[in-house]
Amino acid sequence: MKVHHGCPVQATINTLSGKWKVQAVWRLSFGPLRFAELRDLLRGVSEKVITAKLRELERDGVVSRTAVRTSPPRVTYSLSPSGQTLIPLLEGLCDWGSKQFGIKRNLPRNPQS
């Protein structure tokens, strides 16, 4: 884990920092995804990078990985119980960014709102 100087906010930011981690966690907040599905949703990411980021999220207890021994192996990612607790925080960040920067939500959690 990156240096956080005893600050829980910095430790949280460190866990989610980077271009792909927040997007992966947000996509997984809608439900489990197979590796290829998640990779395809994150346009522009290489398999090497998304694999590394998912491993970091798994190491930090945010993501759970389930592998089924088939040919080819079937790997599914989902948010861990700890990762689920990040959803309200990400929703708050989404709301703030929408208001602050005038960015329209393109993937709302609640289509009715």
Side-chain angles (χ1 to χ4, degrees):
M1 176 176 268
K2 295 179 184 175
V3 178
H4 53 74
H5 306 288
C7 176
V9 174
Q10 188 63 58
T12 304
I13 296 298
N14 290 348
T15 298
L16 295 173
S17 67
K19 182 176 181 179
W20 301 109
K21 286 183 180 181
V22 169
Q23 292 183 50
V25 171
W26 185 253
R27 291 294 184 158
L28 290 172
S29 74
F30 292 90
L33 292 168
R34 293 189 57 197
F35 176 81
E37 294 172 321
L38 184 57
R39 181 201 61 218
D40 292 347
L41 288 170
L42 303 177
R43 293 185 210 119
V45 67
S46 69
E47 283 195 20
K48 179 180 178 180
V49 169
I50 192 61
T51 298
K53 298 309 169 190
L54 287 168
R55 284 183 182 152
E56 290 171 15
L57 288 167
E58 184 181 12
R59 180 198 67 216
D60 290 337
V62 176
V63 168
S64 297
R65 179 182 186 271
T66 305
V68 178
R69 292 180 187 238
T70 59
S71 183
R74 181 183 173 124
V75 178
T76 304
Y77 290 90
S78 59
L79 292 182
S80 67
S82 179
Q84 291 283 340
T85 66
L86 290 170
I87 294 171
L89 301 174
L90 293 177
E91 288 175 329
L93 289 170
C94 183
D95 290 342
W96 187 86
S98 294
K99 291 174 188 165
Q100 183 71 15
F101 302 111
I103 301 170
K104 184 177 179 182
R105 287 175 164 236
N106 59 3
L107 192 60
R109 292 203 49 77
N110 296 319
Q112 296 82 13
S113 40

